[in-house]
């Protein structure tokens, strides 16, 4: 790359064309220590020269070095593969029940990846197969609720923070009202309204009650960014609301929202399991860890393993997402370390 | 003198102070800009100086229509632009642009230099056709003395002076006639300040720009300005050519301000007389009656508290000062001229 400030004089270069218009004035300025010196251009390390370094680029470089991120990302990847193709890991049918042979049969720990590896539940069904097939409901709920609340809450927070005034007052009061509703009580009332409860009814209920947290984070973030000079500069250029919001404010305000959303994802998975456990979330024949934990609870004295495996799967999943969220937060905001 | 391009008439900007939560009631106002008039001519540089909080930046924001004026007019080529909105305002923005104070916060950290300088073209597509934009951006980088190959870099890869050049390139993109510089060099190193000032002067010649140059550094304002206006507490107290203001100041505030400029020569320094003002700058929410400067002025008399001095050529000085000064007792200081 040619370095224009260091090569031969260029008559187009204003730095080399400094012509005082008024010698008296130049002298005056010179007295004040304003002698012209060549500005040294900061030339980045030649090896990294063309690497565009941005916040996300820095965060990614930082993340790749974190063991918590690597472990949680691998775990989540595995869980997603299991959720999409549970048949890859087992031949057993999670709905096949043989009560006479397999009622609460103890796990056979030598039977790796076999139907009896984790034992059988109170209906004589393979717990291993059910743990694998149950991942789909949990992961779907977790990801879909997170996407829904990020979009909904993000939009509400953005509008509220950007426009301020009475728009902000109205949206903030609505957020306050939703904040006052206990999640489980609200979900109980909402889910009772559905005659058939599927994964999607749980997603709708949790998203409906959960968007406020993201909206608050987004609102605060937008208010901070809105006041920065580059947004004022955009306005001075004549940029419209849409451009200011999506080109200038959103990219600079979204980091804390992503962090909170990633951490909250684990919470939504727990909430689904809790609702299913209480009997107001998913129901048989839908396979979900929450449903299995609920049915295992009745036979806990005879067969603790029937409770242990779905509960362990749930805990590991939630832990993986929370660890990922923590790692992302640390990478995006080094001040929090 | 060249034709006037920007005329400001009795410009007022008050920020209301409210009380109450549900039913807000106005209990007062911060009089950030309180009746300012001046004219900016084509191709000239008007410097605006004054201490912190005197309303310089608010004036810039009102002129840029980033804040709505409470009263008064801003005439661009005879048309009042202070009440415009929508498409008409957008059209005026092409002709009046701004360079910001802090080059570290005025560039979006998530956009490349090419995107930052190219954004004016996206907002005003009629200025440069789509195919020519990359070329136009590279030309602008060249004009402000940056390597056109830096187009894909991010702002944090540049030094403060380079960032300010990027900010200037963004302001130049729409080929404006007026550029309002709100303390464009006060965040920069002294050595870099001179380069940016020289760049601004070169650009003024090349593109026939008119500058309104806001700063608190008197030396820089003297260097770059054709005329200088001195502000105090939302009012213009004195306005004139740089020579008139710096060597023949008639307003006590200007004289006090100038006496605070550091003198590098130690022997000269001993000879000069410093005017030390007592007290603080009064609150713009509750300014003194009459002349705003009277609470800190050594010339203040009864008349100053009752009668507001108007910005006019002082009558007292027959044949003396020719420039406008808002003081009842405007007079040149004998010792001030000696330096």
């Amino acid at each position: 790359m040619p370095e224009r400030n260091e090569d031969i004089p260029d008559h187009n270069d204003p730095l080399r064309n400094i012509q005082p218009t008024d010698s008296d004035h130049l002298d005056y300025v010179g007295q004040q220590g304003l002698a012209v010196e060549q500005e040294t251009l900061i030339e980045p390390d030649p090896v990294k020269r063309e690497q565009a370094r941005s916040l996300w680029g820095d965060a990614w470089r930082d993340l790749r070095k974190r063991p918590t991120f690597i472990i949680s990302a691998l775990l989540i990847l595995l869980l997603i593969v299991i959720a999409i193709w549970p048949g890859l890991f087992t031949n057993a049918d999670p709905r096949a029940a043989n009560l006479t042979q397999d009622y609460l049969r103890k796990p056979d720990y030598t039977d790796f990846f076999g139907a009896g590896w984790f034992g059988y539940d109170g209906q004589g069904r393979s717990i291993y197969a059910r743990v694998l097939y149950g991942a789909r409901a949990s992961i779907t709920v977790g990801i879909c609720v997170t996407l829904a609340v990020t979009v909904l809450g993000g939009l509400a927070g953005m509008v509220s923070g950007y426009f301020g005034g009475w728009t902000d007052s109205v949206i903030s009061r609505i957020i306050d009202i939703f904040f006052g509703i206990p999640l489980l009580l609200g979900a109980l009332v909402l889910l009772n309204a559905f005659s058939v409860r599927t994964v999607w009814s749980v997603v709708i209920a949790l998203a409906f009650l959960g968007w406020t947290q993201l909206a608050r984070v987004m609102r605060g973030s937008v208010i901070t960014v809105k006041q920065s000079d580059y947004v004022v500069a955009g306005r001075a250029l004549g940029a419209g609301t849409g451009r200011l919001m999506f080109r200038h404010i959103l990219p600079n305000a979204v980091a804390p929202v992503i962090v909170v959303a990633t951490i909250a994802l684990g919470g939504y998975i727990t909430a689904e399991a809790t609702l299913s456990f209480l009997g107001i979330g998913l129901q048989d024949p839908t396979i979900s860890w929450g449903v299995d934990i609920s049915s295992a609870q009745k036979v806990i004295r005879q067969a603790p393993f029937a409770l242990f495996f779905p509960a362990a799967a749930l805990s590991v999943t939630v832990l993986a997402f929370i660890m990922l969220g923590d790692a992302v937060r640390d990478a995006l905001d080094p001040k929090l370390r | 003198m060249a034709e006037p391009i920007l005329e400001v008439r009795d410009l007022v900007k008050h920020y209301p102070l409210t009380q109450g939560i549900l039913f807000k009631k106005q209990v007062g106002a911060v009089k950030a800009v309180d009746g300012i008039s001046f004219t900016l001519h084509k191709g000239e540089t008007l410097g605006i100086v004054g201490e912190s909080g005197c309303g310089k930046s608010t004036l810039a924001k009102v002129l840029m229509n980033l804040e709505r004026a409470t009263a008064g007019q801003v005439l661009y080529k005879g048309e009042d632009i202070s009440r415009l909105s929508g498409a008409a305002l957008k059209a005026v923005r092409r002709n009046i642009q701004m360079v910001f104070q802090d080059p570290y916060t005025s560039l979006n950290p998530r956009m490349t230099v090419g995107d930052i300088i190219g954004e004016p073209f996206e907002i005003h597509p009629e200025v440069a056709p789509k195919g020519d934009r990359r070329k136009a951006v590279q030309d602008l980088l060249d004009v402000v003395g940056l390597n056109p190959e830096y187009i894909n870099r991010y702002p944090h890869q540049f030094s403060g002076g380079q960032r300010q050049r990027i900010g200037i390139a963004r302001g130049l993109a729409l080929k404006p006639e007026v550029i309002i510089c709100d303390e464009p060099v006060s965040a920069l190193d002294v050595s870099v300040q001179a380069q940016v000032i020289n760049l601004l002067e070169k650009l003024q010649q090349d593109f026939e720009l008119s500058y309104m140059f806001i700063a608190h550094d008197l030396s820089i304002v003297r260097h770059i300005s054709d005329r200088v206006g001195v502000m105090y507490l939302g009012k213009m107290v004195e306005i004139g050519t740089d020579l008139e203001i710096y060597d023949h100041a008639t307003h006590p505030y200007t004289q006090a301000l100038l006496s605070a400029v550091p003198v590098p020569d130690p022997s000269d320094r001993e000879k000069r007389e410093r005017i030390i003002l007592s007290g603080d700058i009064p609150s713009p929410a509750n300014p003194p009656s009459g002349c705003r400067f009277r609470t800190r002025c050594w010339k203040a008399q009864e008349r100053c508290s009752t009668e507001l001095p108007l910005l006019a050529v002082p009558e007292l000085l027959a044949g003396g000062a020719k420039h406008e000064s808002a003081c009842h007792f405007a007079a040149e200081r004998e010792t001030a001229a000696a330096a």
Side-chain angles (χ1 to χ4, degrees), chain A residues 6 15 33 55 66-68 82 86 94 106 143 184 196 207 219 244 260 266 271 282 284 297 302 307 311 324:
Chain A
E6 282 156 24
L15 280 185
L55 179 103
R66 284 170 187 274
T68 49
I82 291 174
K106 293 232 165 355
I143 290 177
L184 281 179
V196 185
R219 175 177 172 271
L244 288 178
V260 172
L282 301 173
D284 260 339
Q297 176 230 11
Q302 304 102 294
L307 179 70
L324 181 79

Side-chain angles (χ1 to χ4, degrees), chain A residues 1-4 14-15 25 28-29 33-34 37 39 41 53 229-230 235-237 243 248 251-252, chain B residues 66 93 97 105 108 110 119 122 124 142 147 149-150 156 159 162 165 190 194-195 202 222-223 242:
Chain A
M1 185 183 296
E3 192 49 79
R4 65 179 298 109
L15 280 185
H25 287 178
Y28 191 86
V29 172
L34 284 176
E37 282 169 31
E39 179 180 0
L41 290 177
R53 286 178 62 240
D229 274 355
Y230 52 84
R235 279 175 59 207
L237 284 172
R243 170 175 289 274
H248 292 284
N252 290 289
Chain B
L66 293 170
R93 290 206 189 283
Q97 272 302 311
T105 60
N108 187 339
R110 301 271 188 284
E119 192 175 30
E122 283 180 37
H124 301 270
D142 194 54
N147 190 328
E149 288 175 44
Y150 291 167
H156 65 258
S159 67
Q162 289 175 312
R165 287 165 191 267
V190 176
Q195 296 173 16
K202 180 186 184 296
R222 177 174 202 179
H223 176 69
D242 54 347

Side-chain angles (χ1 to χ4, degrees), chain B residues 43-118:
Chain B
E44 89 169 338
T45 302
L46 174 66
I48 302 281
V49 292
E51 61 196 293
S52 304
C54 71
K56 301 184 302 266
S57 289
T58 305
L59 177 64
K61 283 191 185 130
V62 175
L63 291 184
M64 282 304 296
N65 250 307
L66 293 170
E67 301 268 3
R68 273 266 181 265
T70 311
Q73 287 180 311
V74 179
L75 304 177
Y76 169 74
K77 292 186 172 168
E79 180 201 5
D80 187 7
I81 58 166
S82 64
R83 304 274 174 259
L84 294 181
S85 61
L89 177 60
K90 198 173 157 185
V92 168
R93 290 206 189 283
R94 274 189 54 183
N95 298 315
I96 306 176
Q97 272 302 311
M98 188 163 178
V99 173
F100 288 82
Q101 174 176 8
D102 187 349
Y104 291 91
T105 60
S106 62
L107 305 177
N108 187 339
R110 301 271 188 284
M111 284 164 77
T112 62
V113 169
D115 287 339
I116 290 170
I117 302 175

